[in-house]
Amino acid sequence: MAYHQKHLLSFVAFLLLILNLHVEHSMAKEVVPVGVVLDLNSTVGGVAERCMSMALSDFYAVNDDYNTRIALLTKDSGNDVIAAASAALDLMKNEEVHAIIGPQRSAQAKFVIELGRKAQVPIISFSATSPSLSPTQNPFFIRTALDDSAEVKAIAAIVKAYGWREIVLIYEDTDYGNGLIPYLMDAFEEIETRMPYRSAIPPFSNNSEIAKEIKKLNETNARIFLVHMTASLGSKLFVLANNAGMMREGYAWIITAGLSALVDPLGPKVKESMQGVLGLRPYIPRSKQLEDFKRRWKGIHLTSSKPNVKITGLNLFGLWAYDTAWALAMAVEKAGIMHSGFLKKNASKSNVDLAALGISETGQTLLDTILTTEFQGLSGRFHLIKGQLEPSAFEILNVIGKTERIIGYWTRQRGLSQELDDNNEVAYSISKDKLKQPIWPGDRTEQPPKLRIGVPVKQGFIEFLKVEWDPHTGKPIISGFSHDVFLAVLKALPFPLPYEFIPFMNKDRQSAGTYDELTYQIKLQKYDAVVGDTTIVANRSLYVDFTLPYSESGVSMVVLVNDEEKNNFWIFLKPLSLDLWLTTGAAFVITGVVIWVLEHRINSEFRGPRVQQLGTIFGFSFSTLVFAHSEKVLNNWSRFVMVIWFFVVLILTQSYTASLASMLTVQRLQPTFIDVKEIKNNSYFVGYQNNSYVEGLLIKQLKFDRSKLKPFSTYEEYHEALSKGTQKGGVAAVFDEIPYIKLFLAKYCSRYTMVGPIYKSDGFGFAFPLGSPLVPYISRAILNVTQDTNKLGAIERTYFSSRGSTNCEDPSASISSNIPSLSLHSFGGLFIITGTVSLISLLVCFFKFFSSHWPTLSNSNPESSFWSKLIEMAKHFDQRDSFIESFRST
């Protein structure tokens, strides 16, 4: 009995031992080795290592029943590409890791990704954000962060909202920095913003090298900068830029996510140098999980247990690292990864034997599982699209003091806004007004850069531009036609354009030079533009770009006029031309002769001594001019001739009277000079507007001697010089542009006139630097303003209505020195009619006379010759007609 009990107890003990061994085996966890390659002495690396450790602790605390446990095998890359590749190779060959988290930098990842592809080990990076590393082209590469190209549209939206047409890129000369350039170029091209200069700074540059590059940037006169670099290099850049005076008023700086995500951990000296900077970084939605994690993070000591590991404040990359470890832990469990090695073992003892690198058995399975893993992480929704994190909203920050102030948000669907709704969508469309007011460098609220606009200082012709001074502040007050047109143009632009007017003057507040010198200040980078009555001419276009003209122009000359017509002694002869006078006189005489022929035989008033008859012919004919003839006509043909002649005389006298009256009553001004050659040949002085380009035109194009030129600055000086004339120290003419001449003639229209040819110019325009992207925008806005008659008309009435309200003739009308007289051509038809009637009357008269006397004369003297008979006929014609006399007596 005792024997059987002893064996029974032994059997029970054996069963209990077997059961205990089975339970212990069932409770054992599968440890999955995962490699980590980071620069542990960097801000990102130190924080990321701690965050991944906390992520795995949190994950397995929540999921204690999971069968797998990830073991992180960390290697320090030491910020070296070769060291990172060597560490990854060692992890794959010797540790047979199932995945590698890292490496930290894009340049390092480029080599490690190739190793991962060869060994089919997933390479998971939360910080290699360069677009040149594409998960679609590298199947075993997973990016658990946002691609840098995702922020390009947001950057372009900010640039467009503030209306910046030029921006300078400062980037780190690495794969991280270079990878973004093509995307930026395309985005800026879409919004018509130029990138005239790009500054590439090597990652290991010392302060002197960076300072040298900053000096070059300062010399380019650039004011808007986009910085794309890591925190280590960016912190140096901003300190040196601040020392160079490029963080003051008038500058604007934008930093990309790589630097914006690390603004908070930067030191106080760096933050002080970054005041007013705008930054862009992915938006992290608030959550209870995130707030709890931040509280726990604050409780961690600022130094790691490892002396070479640097831990600072929490940053975006730390949150991405946390979510990466969490996602990998989920994927390992879901894929059922067991500790299995590589299909092909590496027998080599060398760490760099790439040819003998094996292939992971679980790599493809783990890769596919990670790509389909989704959850709500600390940084937001973890969801991979095409191997990388799904793009989300971006927040726009403004560095102010020791903190960052969020001034707005951007999403791909809606653009810019001050706030996000519950779905992380913006509420409004793109506009700078939908961003909160930033504080710009220099502690200013005015948007940079202010356009430094040079304006001319003038004594006269202030209708176009006038510079006055505020008696209280001493600041310039600008007004005038050109000024108001420019303001109207700014309102027509699709973007804001801050500006300030700077008078081109010396210490005495007088003009500092000519218009050529004023526009040349743009090339010297003292002004960003010139606004005023600046003429578009060829020589200036060599160093500036002009907009389209907003006013007509051209050069002509104005001269003194004399009204000599009323004092002309022979003005009464002026109404009719010489040929008309001679024809009219001949017509009077011929008409008198015709009437005498018709009336001589029957009318006693047309008979008598030859001298008396001759006087009758002239007296009768010319007395008809005033219808005062005393002789009566008896012949009906005479009456017919007289009726027609009276009609001709009536038209001639009325036309003559009207023309003479016009000459005597209407002012006829005659220019003293009408030809430039006459002025040059007589070596007369001529005037021009001081500081204008007209001086060069007179010397180079019209070949005037410089000693014969006199500069003037006001209307009054023009008037005084012209009124004196050439004999009293004045000038023969003043040459100026047409807009000024019109204003001058509007004031002195009765004394002067514009004569001679017009020397064309392209008009008044606004000047900008060569290649300025603002020129096409300003030109289009000028067209909108000048084609709006109401808008432009209101500006013109403001400055020119008082000048144009006088009763003056059009000053641009040319006055002829030869007043046209009435010519024979105008009355040729009348003379033909009266001549024809007179000829017919004479033919009828002679026909009757010959028909009644020729037969009798031929019968009485048949032997006489033809000419003797004609003489006899002439004697009979001179005799009185007895038949008509007896008929009248009866």
Side-chain angles (χ1 to χ4, degrees), residues 401-437:
K402 298 180 180 180
T403 61
E404 310 113 46
R405 171 172 167 260
I406 304 302
I407 63 172
Y409 301 88
W410 180 90
T411 64
R412 187 178 298 273
Q413 293 78 13
R414 301 290 183 86
L416 296 177
S417 174
Q418 291 186 12
E419 302 293 342
L420 290 173
D421 59 20
D422 295 337
N423 297 321
N424 292 344
E425 295 292 339
V426 298
Y428 306 101
S429 61
I430 182 171
S431 168
K432 86 177 183 67
D433 296 331
K434 298 303 181 284
L435 296 176
K436 296 176 183 177
Q437 174 64 58

Side-chain angles (χ1 to χ4, degrees), residues 157-183:
I158 297 173
V159 172
K160 182 178 180 181
Y162 286 108
W164 293 324
R165 300 296 103 191
E166 285 187 339
I167 189 167
V168 171
L169 174 63
I170 308 175
Y171 63 99
E172 183 177 300
D173 193 10
T174 59
D175 288 349
Y176 165 74
N178 291 305
L180 191 63
I181 293 178
Y183 299 90

Side-chain angles (χ1 to χ4, degrees), residues 21 34-35 71 77 111 161 194 269 272 301 307 336 347 383 410 508 568 590 634 652 722 745 776 822 866:
L21 291 173
V34 172
S77 64
F111 292 93
R194 292 195 318 157
K269 183 177 180 181
E272 183 181 351
H301 295 293
H383 176 55
W410 180 90
D508 299 326
N568 191 346
I590 292 172
L634 303 179
L652 282 173
L722 287 170
L745 294 181
L822 299 175
F866 175 77

Side-chain angles (χ1 to χ4, degrees), residues 459-461 689-690 712-719 744:
Q459 296 180 359
F461 301 98
Q689 186 179 162
N690 192 25
F712 303 111
S713 301
T714 63
Y715 301 115
E716 291 72 22
E717 291 179 359
Y718 278 11
H719 170 59
F744 174 70

Side-chain angles (χ1 to χ4, degrees), residues 315-361:
N315 55 58
L316 174 65
F317 296 104
L319 299 180
W320 278 340
Y322 183 99
D323 290 345
T324 300
W326 189 285
L328 186 57
M330 289 182 65
V332 166
E333 179 69 24
K334 185 177 179 180
I337 301 297
M338 298 298 175
H339 186 68
S340 57
F342 284 57
L343 293 178
K344 180 181 178 182
K345 296 293 184 177
N346 180 16
S348 173
K349 298 294 184 178
S350 173
N351 290 340
V352 293
D353 189 0
L354 301 180
L357 185 63
I359 299 175
S360 174
E361 292 179 301

